[in-house]
């Protein structure tokens, strides 16, 4: 029997704690696990030895249910990227020293692209020093859905459901007046348009949904955009237009760039919010009608009250899969979802070498965008539809959802 | 037996269709009502004779449930304000002529302040010409909660629940990192801070909620604001700050004014969005830490999927009350809610003369704001808490809520 360490990293989603629940359920019923440690603030918490013990907190099912419906990262997160171990072996020695001091044989790290890079480097280092006593496995999560090696990522289905339902509701809202109006909704996803595409799912109901959808994988032509809007305004008085935050022109320049500061995040990612505002201002000047820009902002990654049941269930299962992988001695892998078919929706849980995942962005295939570049195809809808199915019956107390908080940040 | 006319007006809410359902339920079981007409686009639809017949659509309970959970205004809305009848008697003659042509004896108009003005003027005109054959009654609705004569307004409780739950989720989201950050949430409400105050309800759960809340009824001091933020950042690394869209300085100038266009809406209301962005930019320059502004935008008035059960039930009951009022011969009144006590929450449904309602804004009492002007008091929480209670079990189909659409806008 050895100890287990769990940590969470990267941008929050509403499914990351469901994966934690899955890991805990599998660990608490495993004969291989003694103490379950949670590191606070990801790999940074490992370095700082900020650990909490999770065995006792998880006594009853209702606590676990509560944790699974809590958004963000119950163990805290970080945006800390490890240097190459050949360059900074000292940091790796420190980390491995701490893991050994706590008798940790299994380490599961939940996160996105940058976190899988950490899993990759740490497992490569352990391999290089010939240490097989610690198994490191990654569990995916990102609302951007841009990890390779998995059909889709935990957190994405719930964010997609939020975007679909919100666009459905917004389309109702903007359609009440008898006057021309354009409402632009800006959706997250960095350089991947998956979440923007999910706005098309709002058409599964009675409403009209977005009239135009611009996915960032396709070069964005400002003049064509204005023409598209003008054409749609002839058909309908009030239209909803959905745009990826990361749309770029054919030279690869972000459309939003002119109003953006040159701030970059710790990993050199460009700060790319604001395209909705830029396009709205341009349309106001060109069309002279009412134009509003709406940014779905952090709500799209934190709206746990409208999570997808499929997403949360799969996220739990991936947590269980991750625990099974490490106790079986697998290291340097990421657990993943392989889709068998769309209808009826069928998947299986697999593990893929994390070296084939880290630092690659999985973007939308161009043939899943229509020829005009202003909507998605049937293939995209078939891919997306199963991911938003099912509702989580959130537990409320005093009128607001019941969350579980594992530690309080100062 | 006479015919009934129903119309909806003003900004959408998620409860306006619940009031419509209440009216329909009462009308369909009344022996006084023959044909039920719905005017498309409020009073404008009356003038244009854009009527649909509602008797047949409402055959079963499930259709009514579906309508009650549909956001916005199923009959469409308008922002059309009647001139004084002494100035433009011709328009009033036209409207009354149309009502008589359709044998309408009862007219229920659902809306906010401007709509109550329409009810007031039309009933005064009918009174002035000595016509008692048409009864006109208003049913309130507004997420701003700024109508006098009623304890609170339909649509407000659901918007308050949305704001509370969203702030709870956002606070979880921003608390995951170990780095200083300020997140400013801008909330609607025009010149009333009720909806902003509802953000405090996010503290009913396990989370910390907003660290600072600025209600627009209290003069906003920019320097004090910066000091408040600095003080709170010493206690916690990541803080949530909630601000009314309509905060003004002590001279009465909107804080957002410097970056706003001078656009006014049809009623001369100032366009007052954007204060979150203004304050965020200022804090970035002053504090140098990460600052994000979030505008809850149209989501706060259209998020039917997280409606308050108390709100929707009361909205239905007010619709029933309105129908009972008109068939009893009452005219020139608005149906309203009178609160008997907070705990256990108890109310009654009443009717108040609409002349005492129209064109007056009910703002937050200054003694419900704390001395520092950066939070709300216990009295405010006692007032707000009952209004967000209970969840509506939204019906979903294909992963998104099932809505009922009465007509399609072109």
């Amino acid at each position: 029997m050895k100890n287990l360490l769990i940590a969470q990293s990267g941008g929050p989603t509403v499914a990351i704690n469901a994966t934690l629940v899955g890991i805990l359920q599998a660990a608490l019923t495993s004969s291989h696990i003694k103490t379950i440690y949670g590191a606070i603030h990801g790999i940074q918490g490992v370095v700082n030895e900020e650990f909490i013990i999770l065995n006792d907190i998880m006594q009853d099912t209702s606590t676990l249910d509560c944790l699974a419906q809590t958004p963000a990262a119950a163990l805290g997160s970080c945006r800390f990227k490890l240097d190459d171990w050949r360059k900074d072996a000292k940091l790796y020695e420190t980390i491995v020293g701490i893991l050994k001091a706590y008798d940790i044989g299994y380490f599961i790290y939940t996160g996105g692209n940058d976190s899988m890079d950490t899993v990759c480097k740490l497992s490569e280092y352990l391999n290089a020093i010939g240490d097989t006593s610690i198994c490191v496995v990654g569990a995916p999560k990102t609302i951007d859905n841009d990890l390779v090696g998995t059909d889709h990522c935990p957190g994405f289905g719930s964010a997609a459901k939020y975007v679909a339902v919100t666009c459905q509701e917004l389309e109702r809202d903007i359609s009440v007046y008898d006057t021309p109006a354009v409402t632009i909704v800006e959706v997250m996803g960095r350089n991947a348009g998956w979440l923007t595409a999910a706005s098309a799912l709002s058409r599964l109901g009675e409403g009209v949904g977005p009239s135009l959808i611009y996915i960032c994988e396709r070069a964005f032509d400002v003049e064509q955009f204005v023409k598209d809007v003008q054409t749609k305004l002839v058909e309908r008085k009030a239209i909803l237009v959905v745009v990826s935050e990361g749309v770029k022109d054919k030279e690869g320049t972000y459309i939003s760039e002119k109003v953006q500061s040159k701030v970059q995040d710790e990993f050199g990612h460009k700060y790319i919010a604001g395209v909705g505002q830029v396009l709205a201002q341009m349309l106001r000047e060109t069309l002279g009608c009412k134009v509003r820009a709406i940014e779905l902002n952090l709500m799209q990654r934190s709206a746990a009250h409208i999570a997808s049941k499929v997403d949360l269930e799969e996220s739990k299962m991936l947590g269980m899969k991750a625990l099974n992988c490490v106790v079986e001695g697998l290291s340097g892998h990421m657990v993943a979802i392989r889709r068998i078919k769309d209808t009826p929706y069928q998947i299986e849980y697999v593990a893929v070498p994390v070296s084939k995942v880290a630092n690659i962005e999985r973007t939308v295939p161009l043939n899943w965008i229509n020829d005009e570049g202003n909507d998605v195809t049937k293939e995209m809808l078939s891919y997306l539809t199963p991911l938003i199915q099912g509702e989580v019956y959130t537990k409320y107390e005093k009128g607001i959802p019941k969350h579980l908080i594992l530690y309080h940040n100062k």
Side-chain angles (χ1 to χ4, degrees), chain A:
Chain A
M1 282 177 92
K2 277 187 182 170
N3 298 333
L4 166 69
L5 176 65
I6 312 169
Q8 302 171 327
S9 173
T13 79
V14 307
I16 192 166
N17 292 331
T19 298
L20 174 57
V21 167
I23 300 170
L24 289 169
Q25 285 177 327
L28 290 167
T29 52
S30 164
S31 53
H32 299 275
I33 310 286
K34 218 162 39 184
T35 306
I36 307 169
Y37 291 105
I40 303 298
H41 299 305
I43 193 73
Q44 218 160 19
V46 179
V47 176
N48 300 335
E49 286 183 63
E50 277 190 84
F51 294 141
I52 57 172
I53 293 173
L54 294 167
N55 298 64
D56 297 338
I57 311 174
M58 307 298 140
Q59 293 301 356
D60 61 86
T61 326
S62 118
T63 312
L64 290 180
D65 284 351
C66 214
L67 179 57
Q69 75 173 33
T70 303
L75 296 172
S77 182
C78 68
R79 290 199 176 279
F80 182 80
K81 202 165 174 173
L82 293 180
D83 236 339
D84 192 287
W85 56 270
R86 292 169 204 87
K87 285 189 197 160
D88 188 7
K90 196 146 183 63
L91 180 61
Y92 287 82
E93 279 163 30
T94 306
I95 292 170
V96 173
I98 291 165
L99 296 181
K100 286 191 179 296
Y102 285 83
D103 196 22
I104 287 158
Y106 316 113
F107 178 25
I108 300 174
Y109 203 38
T110 309
N113 227 316
D114 297 312
S115 316
M116 293 311 122
D117 180 71
T118 299
V119 171
C120 189
K121 285 172 174 162
L122 187 58
S123 58
E124 273 181 12
Y125 172 77
L126 286 162
N127 201 37
I129 62 169
D131 189 328
T132 56
S133 71
I134 302 169
C135 293
V136 189
V137 158
K141 72 86 213 142
T142 164
I143 63 158
D144 300 343
N145 202 37
D146 61 352
L147 284 173
V148 298
T150 186
D151 177 73
H152 56 278
C153 301
F156 172 68
S158 294
K161 191 178 185 98
Y162 172 86
V163 169
V165 172
T166 299
C167 285
Q168 183 200 23
E169 292 171 339
L170 289 175
E171 192 269 331
R172 282 295 81 210
D173 189 286
I174 65 164
S175 298
V176 301
Y177 296 114
D178 198 25
T179 41
V182 180
T183 303
I184 301 175
V185 178
E186 180 186 322
V187 179
M188 280 182 170
R190 287 188 187 270
N191 296 309
W194 299 107
L195 197 53
T196 304
S199 64
L201 298 175
S202 60
R203 298 180 192 136
L204 290 172
E206 303 293 315
V208 175
S211 293
L212 296 162
I213 301 173
Y214 296 92
I215 305 294
C216 54
E217 280 79 354
R218 173 85 169 238
F220 186 90
D221 180 327
V222 172
E223 281 176 34
Q224 187 56 48
F225 166 74
V226 176
K227 277 186 206 157
D228 287 355
V229 169
Q230 285 171 320
T231 306
K232 291 292 177 182
L233 279 176
V234 175
E235 292 165 27
R236 284 178 68 76
K237 278 201 176 129
I239 63 166
L240 195 69
V241 178
V242 184
V243 183
S244 293
E245 63 174 0
V247 284
K248 304 177 206 72
D249 64 18
K250 61 177 188 284
E251 282 79 37
T253 309
Y254 289 117
I255 302 298
S256 57
E257 204 154 75
K258 33 189 148 177
V259 288
Q260 300 300 310
S261 63
K262 301 292 165 206
V263 177
Q264 294 193 345
D265 76 10
E266 296 90 315
F267 299 157
H269 295 145
K270 272 195 171 137
Y271 181 66
I272 53 171
V275 66
Q277 296 289 352
V278 176
L279 295 176
Q281 190 50 39
M282 200 191 57
L283 283 185
R284 264 179 223 119
E285 288 159 13
T286 319
L287 304 177
C289 74
K290 187 169 181 175
V291 186
R292 187 192 279 268
I294 296 178
E295 211 182 321
L296 297 186
N297 221 311
L298 300 184
M299 288 79 84
Q300 61 205 300
R301 73 181 196 195
S302 63
H305 71 272
I306 187 150
S308 147
K309 191 176 183 193
V310 163
D311 182 29
L312 291 204
E313 286 301 322
E314 289 179 349
S315 301
K316 261 190 220 176
M317 294 289 280
L318 280 170
M320 294 181 193
K321 177 77 183 172
L323 196 277
N324 289 335
C325 285
V326 285
V327 297
E328 283 163 15
L330 204 64
S331 194
H333 278 64
M334 178 185 84
V335 291
I337 292 167
R338 200 174 73 80
R339 189 182 302 215
I340 297 161
K341 52 182 175 180
D342 291 338
T343 335
Y345 178 59
Q346 204 186 339
I347 57 153
E348 62 179 357
Y349 299 98
V350 297
V352 294
V354 75
S355 59
K356 294 190 175 162
V357 172
N359 304 312
I360 312 168
E361 278 178 335
R362 190 177 67 106
T363 52
V364 170
L366 287 176
N367 59 350
W368 285 16
I369 300 170
N370 72 349
D371 291 343
E372 296 76 18
N374 58 23
D375 215 320
V376 297
T377 65
K378 269 189 283 184
E379 289 75 15
M380 177 61 100
L381 292 178
S382 302
Y383 168 78
L384 292 172
T385 302
L387 311 182
I388 67 157
Q389 298 307 308
E391 290 70 51
V392 177
Y393 291 104
T394 309
K395 281 181 198 166
Y396 284 77
E397 208 171 72
K398 300 178 201 162
I400 61 168
K402 205 162 152 44
H403 291 164
L404 185 74
I405 295 183
L406 292 181
Y407 79 98
H408 275 283
N409 218 348
K410 261 163 272 160

